Amino acid sequence: MTGTKTENRLLDVKGLTVEIETRSGPAVIVDGIDLHVDRGETLGVVGESGCGKSLTMLSLMRLLPNKIHVAKGEAHFDGRDLQKMSNRELRKVRGGDIGFVFQDPMTSLNPVMRIGEQLAEPLIYHRGMSKKEARARAVELLRLVGIPGPEQRIEAYPHELSGGMRQRVMIAIGLACEPKLLIADEPTTALDVTIQAQIVDLVKGLREKLGMSVVWITHDLALIAGLVDRVIVLYAGTVVEDAPVDELYAHPRHPYTRGLLASIPKLSDQPASRLNSIGGTPPEPGRRPQGCPFAPRCPLAMDICRTHVPKLEPVAAAGSHRTACFAAEKAREAA
Amino acid sequence: MSAVQTEPATLSEEPPVSLWRDAWYRLKRNRLAIFGLCVIVLLAFTAIFGPYLTPYDFLGQDLEARNQAPSFAHLFGTDDLGRDVFSRVVYGTRTAFLVAVVVTAIALVIGTVLGAVAGFFGNPFDRVIMWLTDVTMSVPNLLLVVVINASLKTPIAQWMEARYLETLNPFYRETVWIDFLLVFGSMALISWPPYARLVRAQVLSIRSRPYITAAQALGLSNRIILTRYVIPNALGPLIVAVSAGLGTAMVLESAFSFLGVGVNPPTPSWGNMISDGLRVWQHYPHLLAAPAAVLGLASVAFSFLGDGLNDALNPRGSK
């Protein structure tokens, strides 16, 4: 593990378990996740839809929807446990110390409020600015995220902006109070490819300018290659692999990670060839198999995989690369 | 960040169009709605300034000129006491608007607050408030109003009389206020549940929208989220409901006055004028026709406007 020094840890999550209430009792969605983000670090969180990426991040901020709750676990942010904080303290952290950028810019802005007001809201609330100061800062923020004509744009309503512009506004709102951590939950999923690259570049530039940490949730491994320092791969609510980004691309150990990387189409592929995919779907909450949750879909599954749950352990050679797989060695040989 | 400039500026000179201006633009093209709006504006003007402009006092009796047919001297004729019907209809407009506006305002405030709390905070508030709503809606309106009037009017009148004897303050002799108080109170009491239900349903659907989670992620308080994010987004259907509700309240007031449980004579109300006119309509049809026509016109105007607002504010719902 890199940087075990605790003072360098901005976010430290231990054993986070999230459950959903169902008619047949609680079902685990996020199963004892450990993750950490160092100061100034950018972490990529990768996985298929429904593997608990967003819920993990929402649960940190205690923003889970009805019937879903944190069953156990700790989440220390800047030395304080977010799960034990009072609502009042937590509200200061939300928007103030942790900025959030949501997946869908089309529906994440209040349609009846001018974007200038929406930008000003956290500034007035967290920084105690006057309306006038907040407005001036809103213009500055819009300029920062590369929106042309910010003086006019703050008067606009969300429906007057394109998707890319709205996502820039969302990022500006997330950054308004200069948070220590920006959590971006699939911020490019709803956008087309050219805009995706712009948004990635934008966050990359801002991260350096503001010196913040970023958690970037995505299912697109290729997109974040140049952005993140380290990647954790989630599958069915567990961390299956945790590695520095270059290491992960060069030597993926977990069969799931390998599957994800193999499913990225390459230009060198035969035009008519079938796209690679991982067969099957992730297990539904409450229906996880005994043993490794990936075993039913895993090409390398052994008997032990169906009876025992593998632990997240360092891969022999590289200390900062960890994976939860009994077949990791085999996978290396296969590679 | 060199890619930033590639996106073209989509709007430049044009001032930003708010949702409201957009809705107004759509409303303007709806002739019936504009007709309704014009009638309402005219009636509202009449309600406010009419009583100062009429040629006769609405109580002034001219026993020489009773039951006259409409003429230039008396546009709508005169009634059995020689009072000018036009002046009385004008004053009745004031009564109708006063009741409609006050009742709708009270019902709207109660309904919005209860509905928003029920929808936003969920159980146990939701259960208690919805139970209260159901109970109120299950009691027949007319019966409730009759019971309230019958049981409260006399005690209040007696109390006022006692206060008058004690203080000799002429205010306590003004029995008109008892009427209004009871009419406002009882009508508001039966009018709030639809607003509460509507607001609750709106809030329930808005509460789960991403921008509410986004607002929570910004650390905004529940109060700000409710007043600046939830309620403004629930306003469209609420405005439609208010427009229709004003018309309903007006008709309801007339109905109660017609039945003698609303505003009492001599204060003119369309309802009690219709009631009086009904007894002699074979001989003097204008006594029934004048207030009934105005009531009908007002009711139709509000429902046209309500329909138009519905199409303007919820464009997806219209064809």
Side-chain angles (χ1 to χ4, degrees):
Chain A
M1 273 199 277
T2 45
T4 28
K5 281 173 284 168
T6 41
E7 64 265 32
N8 203 29
R9 287 281 160 84
L10 182 61
L11 179 70
D12 199 357
V13 178
K14 287 205 179 96
L16 185 76
T17 303
V18 178
E19 290 179 345
I20 181 166
E21 285 167 42
T22 64
R23 253 166 275 165
S24 51
V28 173
I29 316 178
V30 174
D31 193 3
I33 278 186
D34 293 335
L35 66 87
H36 63 92
V37 181
D38 291 339
R39 290 176 202 278
E41 185 186 37
T42 300
L43 175 72
V45 178
V46 175
E48 269 169 290
S49 307
C51 68
K53 303 184 298 276
S54 303
L55 282 175
T56 305
M57 293 305 147
L58 286 175
S59 69
L60 293 183
M61 307 278 276
R62 307 215 313 243
L63 286 172
L64 291 172
N66 271 345
K67 299 199 170 172
I68 299 181
H69 60 268
V70 172
K72 55 177 188 274
E74 294 168 18
H76 291 276
F77 176 77
D78 225 357
R80 293 182 298 165
D81 192 343
L82 292 168
Q83 301 299 325
K84 293 205 180 87
M85 249 176 214
S86 71
N87 284 330
R88 186 178 289 270
E89 283 177 300
L90 187 69
R91 279 211 300 271
K92 291 231 166 67
V93 174
R94 291 177 183 170
D97 294 329
I98 302 182
F100 227 107
V101 178
F102 286 91
Q103 186 167 359
D104 186 359
M106 298 305 182
T107 54
S108 298
L109 289 167
N110 184 353
V112 298
M113 213 189 249
R114 292 172 200 274
I115 61 169
E117 290 176 73
Q118 296 190 56
L119 265 164
E121 206 97 74
L123 294 167
I124 294 168
Y125 192 81
H126 290 294
R127 294 284 179 267
M129 284 188 187
S130 70
K131 278 201 170 159
K132 219 174 158 188
E133 290 168 325
R135 195 185 156 89
R137 174 85 178 122
V139 172
E140 229 174 90
L141 283 162
L142 288 185
R143 188 169 294 131
L144 185 72
V145 296
I147 290 184
E151 290 87 356
Q152 291 88 52
R153 292 305 170 102
I154 59 169
E155 301 292 337
Y157 286 88
H159 70 100
E160 297 173 286
L161 303 180
S162 67
M165 284 293 159
R166 284 190 224 183
Q167 195 57 286
R168 283 164 193 269
V169 172
M170 290 294 301
I171 291 172
I173 292 175
L175 294 176
C177 297
E178 298 184 350
K180 295 171 183 153
L181 175 66
L182 182 73
I183 300 178
D185 183 2
E186 305 205 31
T188 60
T189 306
L191 306 174
D192 64 59
V193 185
T194 50
I195 312 290
Q196 285 186 358
Q198 288 180 21
I199 297 287
V200 169
D201 284 345
L202 173 68
V203 171
K204 213 165 147 184
L206 291 172
R207 176 192 60 181
E208 275 141 34
K209 211 180 270 182
L210 305 173
M212 61 185 174
S213 306
V214 177
V215 173
W216 188 287
I217 305 172
T218 186
H219 56 253
D220 189 346
L221 267 170
L223 181 74
I224 58 168
L227 172 74
V228 302
D229 302 317
R230 194 161 54 85
V231 177
I232 64 170
V233 181
L234 291 189
Y235 184 78
T238 56
V239 178
V240 296
E241 189 152 9
D242 174 351
V245 63
D246 298 336
E247 169 77 10
L248 187 89
Y249 282 84
H251 310 291
R253 288 304 168 83
H254 198 279
Y256 179 61
T257 317
R258 297 166 58 79
L260 284 181
L261 285 169
S263 13
I264 301 171
K266 288 173 210 67
L267 275 176
S268 57
D269 287 347
Q270 286 296 316
S273 67
R274 292 183 68 92
L275 295 171
N276 283 314
S277 65
I278 308 174
T281 51
E284 282 171 47
R287 286 210 198 150
R288 344 166 122 257
Q290 196 195 1
C292 174
F294 189 60
R297 300 170 72 188
C298 182
L300 303 173
M302 305 175 292
D303 287 342
I304 186 173
C305 299
R306 300 197 179 84
T307 50
H308 292 78
V309 182
K311 285 199 181 63
L312 190 63
E313 278 165 349
V315 174
S320 59
H321 188 169
R322 298 183 300 159
T323 187
C325 182
F326 294 122
E329 281 307 306
K330 218 202 277 183
R332 193 170 64 98
E333 283 149 28
Chain B
M1 287 211 292
S2 56
V4 158
Q5 275 77 27
T6 57
E7 209 161 323
T10 41
L11 86 164
S12 41
E13 264 85 293
E14 234 175 295
V17 223
S18 77
L19 295 181
W20 305 118
R21 202 170 308 167
D22 211 28
W24 168 239
Y25 177 74
R26 277 192 293 268
L27 186 68
K28 263 196 304 196
R29 291 187 304 178
N30 184 333
R31 291 219 186 110
L32 278 181
I34 290 300
F35 164 74
L37 187 64
C38 291
V39 170
I40 291 163
V41 168
L42 184 72
L43 286 173
F45 179 83
T46 310
I48 297 166
F49 301 108
Y52 305 111
L53 305 177
T54 52
Y56 304 93
D57 179 12
F58 69 92
L59 286 177
Q61 302 181 4
D62 181 0
L63 297 175
E64 303 281 297
R66 297 186 300 144
N67 296 328
Q68 284 191 354
S71 65
F72 283 111
H74 300 282
L75 276 181
F76 291 170
T78 59
D79 68 3
D80 58 343
L81 294 171
R83 297 176 296 191
D84 179 46
V85 175
F86 180 72
S87 305
R88 290 182 63 75
V89 168
V90 165
Y91 201 91
T93 311
R94 170 175 278 198
T95 308
F97 264 79
L98 185 66
V99 172
V101 169
V102 173
V103 166
T104 306
I106 299 173
L108 185 67
V109 170
I110 299 175
T112 305
V113 170
L114 290 182
V117 168
F120 192 72
F121 294 103
N123 282 331
F125 301 99
D126 193 20
R127 191 161 296 174
V128 172
I129 290 169
M130 282 303 107
W131 174 80
L132 209 63
T133 312
D134 291 343
V135 167
T136 313
M137 285 181 103
S138 68
V139 178
N141 289 351
L142 206 55
L143 194 66
L144 189 68
V145 174
V146 170
V147 167
I148 290 172
N149 269 276
S151 57
L152 291 182
K153 202 165 212 164
T154 319
I156 293 178
Q158 283 169 347
W159 180 81
M160 296 264 282
E161 186 63 22
R163 295 291 299 157
Y164 173 71
L165 292 176
E166 217 173 277
T167 59
L168 290 178
N169 183 340
F171 171 79
Y172 293 108
R173 268 276 157 95
E174 201 65 68
T175 53
V176 173
W177 293 110
I178 307 180
D179 278 2
F180 277 114
L181 195 73
L182 282 171
V183 169
F184 290 158
S186 54
M187 281 181 58
L189 193 68
I190 59 175
S191 304
W192 68 266
Y195 295 111
R197 283 194 164 179
L198 178 72
V199 172
R200 173 179 174 270
Q202 284 291 311
V203 169
L204 276 181
S205 106
I206 290 165
R207 194 180 62 166
S208 59
R209 303 224 176 124
Y211 56 82
I212 299 301
T213 314
Q216 286 171 332
L218 277 180
L220 303 179
S221 66
N222 280 336
R223 192 178 54 81
I224 292 181
I225 291 174
L226 202 51
T227 53
R228 302 199 16 105
Y229 287 75
V230 177
I231 291 178
N233 278 293
L235 230 44
L238 204 56
I239 289 173
V240 176
V242 165
S243 168
L246 282 168
T248 313
M250 223 169 246
V251 173
L252 210 59
E253 182 273 322
S254 291
F256 291 153
S257 298
F258 179 84
L259 294 169
V261 290
V263 178
N264 277 357
T267 310
S269 146
W270 296 339
N272 57 39
M273 291 175 74
I274 291 171
S275 164
D276 290 345
L278 204 57
R279 273 179 276 148
V280 292
W281 73 272
Q282 279 117 327
H283 308 289
Y284 310 111
H286 65 276
L287 294 184
L288 174 60
V294 178
L295 172 63
L297 190 67
S299 165
V300 165
F302 274 109
S303 84
F304 281 165
L305 182 66
D307 275 355
L309 284 171
N310 191 29
D311 292 346
L313 292 166
N314 310 313
R316 268 161 294 168
S318 56
K319 322 115 276 199

